[in-house]
């Protein structure tokens, strides 16, 4: 407030909103990570083009139905990312039990016959009008939020009881996902959980014991009757690629892998050209718009195009890691770390399985594979990362 001499009426200095934006260095809007936003949309558009290339058909008139749905999800996801970025992520520390509890509720309900729908041996979807909701995708993010919320309350003081509580946060959604069964999502969740435990400060001796337990648990799952024979074959084919096939299921799985590797290898350095890949145009590679979409990238755009895609995805991973390092609190660090590991694990697993160096699981390639639940979850995750980054000074 300032007073003008010779007058009894005080004058007020009015600060306009834009003036406050220019002078307030702590304003979240001054710290939007435009590199991350640009990389996310670039990869998403890249994915939309590749989905179109795998679904349009070999001859005119070309089918654009999948492309329109992907573009719709990109627009919707962009709105979700923007709205989440505007939301102060620190408020999640008070509401994480509700978010985590809701995700568990959805995982339980999807297992109920008549409510959840079964596809290719896995009961993991809600059939909604024009859309299939996969709660396991949202559960991965909810697990990260729940872990970060609980661990940040402990402030690095992790005794055995608190470690067990954190393990419970991670283990509950994995248990229900395995009942679907969906081993691929469970494996990604295990990797994320280990990374979060490490960053949270759990002692290496405990982590070693957990790693041994995870190995024994995986062996038990593979040797028990939880998984069907074809599901076990998908997980073990990559280490037995020279073994003679004995069943129709093994033959189909081996054929799928061989066709994927052949498509990638035929692309060479520069690829056969966008929309020109013979394996893609003739729809020889199965599940190419979802699980095996990287084979279309390799065939049509070659080593160079695949490298560009991986560089763009590496940029996203880098910016998420940067946000984790710059976060002003442990909650933000754990949140971004979990999202980063989730991204890396899915990229490595999906690309690896198309080349025969990783187990064949139903893990989508982030921002690229066709699937509304996976794409919207990734946009939501990026919105949380942006929220952490934007509020590092406030």
């Amino acid at each position: 407030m300032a007073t003008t001499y010779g007058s009894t009426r005080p004058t007020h200095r009015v600060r306009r909103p834009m003036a406050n934006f220019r002078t307030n260095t702590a304003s979240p809007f001054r710290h939007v990570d435009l590199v991350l936003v640009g990389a996310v949309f670039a990869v998403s558009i890249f994915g939309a083009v590749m989905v179109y290339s795998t679904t349009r058909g070999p001859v005119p008139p070309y089918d654009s139905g999948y492309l329109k749905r992907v573009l719709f999800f990109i627009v919707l996801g962009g709105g979700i990312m923007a709205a989440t970025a505007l939301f102060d992520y620190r408020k999640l520390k008070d509401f994480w039990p509700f978010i985590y509890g809701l995700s568990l509720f959805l995982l339980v309900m999807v297992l109920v016959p008549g409510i959840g729908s079964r596809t290719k041996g896995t009961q993991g979807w809600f059939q909604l009008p024009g859309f299939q909701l996969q709660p396991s995708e949202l559960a991965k993010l909810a697990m990260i939020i729940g872990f970060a919320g609980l661990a940040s309350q402990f402030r690095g003081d992790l005794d055995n009881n608190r470690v067990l509580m954190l393990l419970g946060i991670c283990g509950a959604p994995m248990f229900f996902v395995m009942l679907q069964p969906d081993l691929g999502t469970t494996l990604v969740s295990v990797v994320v959980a280990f990374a979060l435990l490490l960053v949270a400060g759990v002692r290496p001796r405990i982590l070693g014991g957990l790693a041994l337990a995870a190995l024994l648990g995986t062996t038990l799952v593979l040797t028990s009757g939880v998984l069907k024979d074809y599901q076990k074959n998908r997980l073990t084919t990559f280490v037995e690629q020279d073994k003679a096939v004995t069943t129709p299921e093994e033959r189909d799985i081996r054929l799928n892998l061989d066709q994927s590797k052949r498509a990638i290898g035929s692309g060479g350095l520069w690829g056969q050209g966008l929309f020109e890949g013979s394996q893609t145009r003739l729809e020889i590679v199965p599940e190419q718009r979802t699980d095996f979409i990287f084979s279309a990238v390799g065939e049509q755009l070659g080593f160079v195009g695949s490298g560009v895609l991986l560089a763009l995805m590496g940029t996203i991973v880098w910016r998420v890691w940067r946000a984790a390092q710059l976060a002003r609190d442990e909650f933000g660090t754990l949140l971004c770390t979990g999202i980063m590991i989730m991204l890396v694990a899915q990229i490595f697993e999906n690309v690896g399985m198309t080349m025969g160096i990783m187990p064949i699981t139903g893990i989508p390639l982030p921002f690229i594979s066709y699937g509304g639940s996976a794409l919207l979850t990734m946009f939501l995750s990026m919105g949380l990362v942006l929220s952490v980054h934007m509020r590092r000074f406030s």
Side-chain angles (χ1 to χ4, degrees):
M1 179 185 295
T3 303
T4 304
Y5 292 102
S7 173
T8 59
R9 298 179 60 186
T11 60
H12 297 272
R13 184 175 299 170
V14 179
R15 185 178 295 275
R16 298 182 181 277
M18 286 306 298
N20 182 66
F21 170 79
R22 290 191 298 268
T23 59
N24 183 11
T25 58
S27 173
F29 297 100
R30 291 175 61 95
H31 304 288
V32 178
D33 191 344
L34 297 179
V35 175
L36 176 60
V37 174
V40 165
F41 279 108
V43 173
S44 300
I45 296 301
F46 195 117
V49 174
M50 298 316 302
V51 168
Y52 177 61
S53 75
T54 60
T55 58
R56 69 174 195 157
V59 294
Y62 297 121
D63 182 9
S64 62
Y66 284 100
L67 174 63
K68 292 177 181 177
R69 285 193 286 273
V70 170
L71 293 176
F72 169 77
F73 284 124
I74 291 176
V75 173
L76 178 60
I80 291 175
M81 182 174 68
T84 307
L86 294 176
F87 178 78
D88 190 341
Y89 75 96
R90 290 167 293 194
K91 295 180 180 178
L92 292 177
K93 288 192 289 187
D94 298 325
F95 295 104
W96 73 260
F98 301 99
I99 298 172
Y100 180 80
L102 177 60
S103 71
L104 289 183
F105 175 75
L106 293 176
L107 289 177
V108 172
M109 293 304 296
V110 80
L111 296 172
V112 178
I115 298 180
S117 62
R118 178 176 291 270
T119 302
K120 297 180 180 179
T122 299
Q123 183 157 336
W125 290 266
F126 291 114
Q127 188 63 53
L128 305 177
F131 176 65
Q132 279 190 324
L133 176 64
Q134 188 175 6
S136 60
E137 289 292 334
L138 296 172
K140 288 184 293 187
L141 182 57
M143 183 191 76
I144 295 171
I145 294 173
F147 186 103
L150 183 60
S152 62
Q153 295 177 7
F154 297 153
R155 302 183 183 276
D157 184 14
L158 297 177
D159 56 24
N160 291 338
N161 290 333
R162 289 178 173 179
V163 172
L164 288 176
M165 293 173 65
L166 294 175
L167 289 176
I169 287 287
C170 299
M174 295 183 201
F175 172 77
F176 291 113
V177 171
M178 275 302 303
L179 292 180
Q180 296 180 5
D182 184 354
L183 186 57
T185 299
T186 305
L187 291 176
V188 171
S189 300
V190 168
V191 175
V192 173
F194 269 98
L196 289 173
L197 289 168
L198 179 63
V199 175
V202 175
R203 292 189 296 272
R205 182 180 63 184
I206 297 178
L207 290 176
L210 293 175
L212 179 60
L215 180 61
L216 293 175
T218 302
T219 303
L220 179 62
V221 169
L222 291 176
T223 56
S224 66
V226 175
L227 300 179
K228 304 296 184 182
D229 288 340
Y230 78 92
Q231 292 173 318
K232 289 189 288 186
N233 290 333
R234 291 183 67 185
L235 295 171
T236 58
T237 295
F238 83 106
V239 296
E240 300 174 337
Q241 297 185 36
D242 296 328
K243 179 183 176 182
V245 296
T246 58
T247 65
E249 292 81 5
E250 291 179 349
R251 189 177 300 109
D252 291 341
I253 294 170
R254 182 70 59 80
L255 178 63
N256 295 351
L257 178 58
D258 290 343
Q259 294 296 343
S260 175
K261 292 164 61 178
R262 185 174 291 113
I264 294 175
S266 67
L269 181 61
W270 296 102
Q272 298 183 23
L274 188 61
F275 309 133
E276 297 300 326
S278 58
Q279 300 284 107
T280 301
R281 291 182 62 189
L282 298 178
E283 301 179 352
I284 296 177
V285 181
E287 306 297 335
Q288 199 169 27
R289 70 177 183 271
T290 53
D291 298 352
F292 286 91
I293 196 167
F294 188 77
S295 66
V297 179
E299 181 184 36
Q300 298 178 40
L301 304 179
F303 179 81
V304 174
S306 300
V308 170
L309 172 60
L310 293 178
L312 287 172
M313 303 188 85
T315 301
I316 296 176
V317 173
W318 164 49
R319 301 308 287 189
V320 177
W321 173 242
R322 181 175 178 271
Q325 291 180 310
L326 297 177
R328 65 172 297 155
D329 59 1
E330 184 181 13
F331 179 69
T333 297
L334 290 171
L335 198 61
C336 293
T337 299
I339 292 172
M340 181 195 71
I341 298 300
M342 179 175 65
L343 270 171
V344 172
Q346 293 192 196
I347 293 170
F348 186 78
E349 164 59 26
N350 182 277
V351 174
M353 77 177 186
T354 62
M355 297 188 293
I357 62 174
M358 291 296 290
I360 299 177
T361 61
I363 297 297
L365 186 59
F367 299 106
I368 302 296
S369 295
Y370 177 78
S373 297
L375 185 58
L376 294 181
T377 299
M378 282 298 159
F379 271 107
L380 178 59
S381 301
M382 293 303 104
L384 290 174
V385 173
L386 286 171
S387 181
V388 174
H389 185 272
M390 291 165 59
R391 288 164 180 82
R392 66 188 189 276
F393 296 116
S394 62

